[in-house]
Amino acid sequence: MDAEKRIRTVDHHEWTLKQPAHHMEVEKAVAVAEHDRAALASRGVHTGDVHVHGGDDALVVSFEAERPKNPKRHLPETLDA
């Protein structure tokens, strides 16, 4: 087998909204997630797509991002927005 093994550590970023969530709150959570994901991606961090998952009692907006080897170099200032 001619393959290189690589182990990556990822962080799961998520925002949880209680049901029933107003569509404006969902749009805001998705926009914040997209903004944070784009900020990480612009710094060279591998990121996944933003996903919205619904359940009976909560709605979760999330994405995954590879944990950088030196996290202080890649943290966007606006992650607490």
Side-chain angles (χ1 to χ4, degrees):
M1 178 170 79
D2 188 22
E4 180 181 330
K5 180 179 178 180
R6 191 169 76 162
I7 298 174
R8 297 180 0 187
T9 304
V10 296
D11 291 323
H12 187 80
H13 301 254
E14 71 177 32
W15 294 259
T16 304
L17 302 166
K18 292 182 180 176
Q19 293 283 35
H22 191 272
H23 69 91
M24 294 298 289
E25 290 298 318
V26 175
E27 288 178 27
K28 182 178 178 183
V30 170
V32 169
E34 279 291 339
H35 179 267
D36 288 359
R37 188 203 61 77
L40 288 168
S42 72
R43 289 171 170 78
V45 176
H46 295 282
T47 62
D49 295 330
V50 172
H51 296 278
V52 178
H53 304 278
D56 290 338
D57 59 347
L59 184 74
V60 179
V61 178
S62 64
F63 72 91
E64 290 183 345
E66 182 177 18
R67 181 176 294 167
K69 292 179 181 171
N70 184 354
K72 291 184 179 180
R73 290 178 43 195
H74 294 284
L75 283 178
E77 301 78 27
T78 57
L79 276 180
D80 351 333

